[in-house]
């Protein structure tokens, strides 16, 4: 009799543990499903041919696919090399160390162009030979933190984008597209020279995008959605960092 009672108690404990584990798993899946980046519902879009793109496959004129989304955030690097998410609206100062994170909601092609000031030529910082095998092909939900994968000899705190004088603005252009650009480097080996500010401005003005911005998966991240179903070929987002004295 006592043996049966022990068995029943053990069975009850096992069932309780299994239920608890199932609840945890359900919560994890639920959290993944509620990630605003990947919570996608296909919509009908009209594919638009563009002269500066190289189609990777023959697309139907009308397709039912998720709208393009891109999430970005800014990290401030501590003295010990660790990082903490910070507000992109903050004023940064000479010597501050930053990292920029980018995720996309589907497979595609990513380019990141940095301008030291609004009038300076843009420099390609992604694709990068030290990251993603030098390719700009990205997959759904894959996070890229720039810079990362720095040489092992470099101090962890120095693996960062270092804010420099003078006061003003630094710009990061985040370009995510369904088909690769023909007038931008698609591998790190192709990257050379600067991109005139006028070229960057024209690319953005010609994109046809209609952007909606909202909070991303964390309180300080920004989620960008191209809501234009008649021209949903790309997202060209500009992250402006303000620099104080």
């Amino acid at each position: 009799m006592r043996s049966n009672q022990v068995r029943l108690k053990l069975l009850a404990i096992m069932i309780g543990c299994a239920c608890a584990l199932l609840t945890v798993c359900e919560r994890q899946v639920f959290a993944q499903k509620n990630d605003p980046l990947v919570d996608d519902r296909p919509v009908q879009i009209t594919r638009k041919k563009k002269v500066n793109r190289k189609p990777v496959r023959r697309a139907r004129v009308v397709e039912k696919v998720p709208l393009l989304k891109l999430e970005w955030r800014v990290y401030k690097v501590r003295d010990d090399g660790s990082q903490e998410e910070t507000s992109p609206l903050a004023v940064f100062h000479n010597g501050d160390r930053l990292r920029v994170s980018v995720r996309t909601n589907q497979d595609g092609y990513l380019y990141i162009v940095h301008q030291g000031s609004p009038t300076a030529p843009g420099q390609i910082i992604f694709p990068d030979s030290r990251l993603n095998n030098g390719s700009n092909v990205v997959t759904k939900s894959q996070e890229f933190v720039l810079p990362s994968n720095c040489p092992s000899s470099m101090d962890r705190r120095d693996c960062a984008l270092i804010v420099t004088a003078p006061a003003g603005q630094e710009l990061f252009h985040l370009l995510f597209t369904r088909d690769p650009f023909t007038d931008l480097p698609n591998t790190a080996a192709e990257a050379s020279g600067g991109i005139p500010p006028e070229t960057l401005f024209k690319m953005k003005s010609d994109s046809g995008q209609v952007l909606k911005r909202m909070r991303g998966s964390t309180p300080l991240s920004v989620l960008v959605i191209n809501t234009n179903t008649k021209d949903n070929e790309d997202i060209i987002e500009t992250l402006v960092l303000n620099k104080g004295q």
Side-chain angles (χ1 to χ4, degrees):
M1 182 73 176
R2 182 179 178 82
S3 177
N4 289 337
Q5 289 176 340
V6 170
R7 288 196 188 96
L8 288 172
K9 286 182 179 179
L10 287 173
L11 180 61
I13 291 171
M14 291 172 65
I15 292 173
C17 290
C19 291
L21 180 59
L22 181 60
T23 302
V24 170
C25 293
E26 287 176 344
R27 284 176 182 169
Q28 290 174 344
V29 172
F30 182 78
Q32 292 169 0
K33 287 182 179 178
N34 283 270
D35 183 337
L37 179 77
V38 298
D39 184 15
D40 284 339
R41 294 169 179 81
V43 300
Q44 186 170 291
I45 68 167
T46 302
R47 295 301 304 267
K48 187 168 184 177
K49 292 183 180 180
K50 299 195 172 184
V51 295
N52 62 341
R53 306 299 160 85
K54 182 181 180 180
V56 295
R57 63 179 179 84
R58 179 174 290 182
R60 294 187 297 272
V61 175
V62 177
E63 291 187 343
K64 198 164 187 180
V65 293
L67 295 173
L68 288 180
K69 297 181 184 179
L70 178 149
E71 181 187 79
W72 60 266
R73 69 191 78 184
V74 178
Y75 293 109
K76 196 166 184 180
V77 182
R78 303 185 183 98
D79 288 340
D80 63 0
S82 62
Q83 62 189 27
E84 61 179 339
E85 196 171 350
T86 188
S87 171
L89 301 178
V91 176
F92 301 100
H93 301 280
N94 188 34
D96 282 349
R97 289 169 163 80
L98 307 175
R99 295 183 187 128
V100 176
S101 162
V102 182
R103 289 197 305 154
T104 63
N105 72 323
Q106 52 195 285
D107 300 352
Y109 300 84
L110 177 68
Y111 310 79
I112 302 179
V113 183
H114 173 246
Q115 282 183 278
S117 72
T119 58
Q123 303 295 329
I124 292 282
I125 62 173
F126 189 91
D128 184 325
S129 60
R130 299 166 298 178
L131 194 62
N132 201 37
N133 295 318
S135 172
N136 71 332
V137 178
V138 296
T139 57
K140 178 179 179 177
S141 300
Q142 187 177 13
E143 182 180 30
F144 290 96
V145 179
L146 298 175
S148 60
N149 198 26
C150 294
S152 57
S153 58
M154 178 180 286
D155 191 293
R156 179 62 181 159
R157 72 187 291 267
D158 292 329
C159 188
L161 302 165
I162 301 176
V163 177
T164 58
Q169 293 180 330
E170 286 192 31
L171 283 68
F172 292 87
H173 302 277
L174 316 175
L175 301 91
F176 176 49
T177 180
R178 296 184 187 277
D179 291 322
F181 283 98
T182 57
D183 47 5
L184 285 178
N186 288 287
T187 65
E190 297 174 8
S192 63
I195 303 171
E198 298 78 15
T199 300
L200 293 168
F201 177 81
K202 188 174 188 308
M203 291 177 71
K204 191 168 185 177
S205 61
D206 290 348
S207 71
Q209 63 186 5
V210 178
L211 297 186
K212 176 183 177 181
R213 296 177 180 85
M214 56 189 289
R215 194 180 90 167
S217 59
T218 60
L220 297 176
S221 62
V222 178
L223 180 65
V224 186
I225 308 170
N226 183 357
T227 62
N228 187 358
T229 59
K230 302 300 182 183
D231 191 345
N232 204 256
E233 298 303 309
D234 47 52
I235 287 178
I236 303 180
E237 166 76 327
T238 300
L239 162 56
V240 179
L241 296 184
N242 295 300
K243 302 189 297 183
Q245 296 289 349

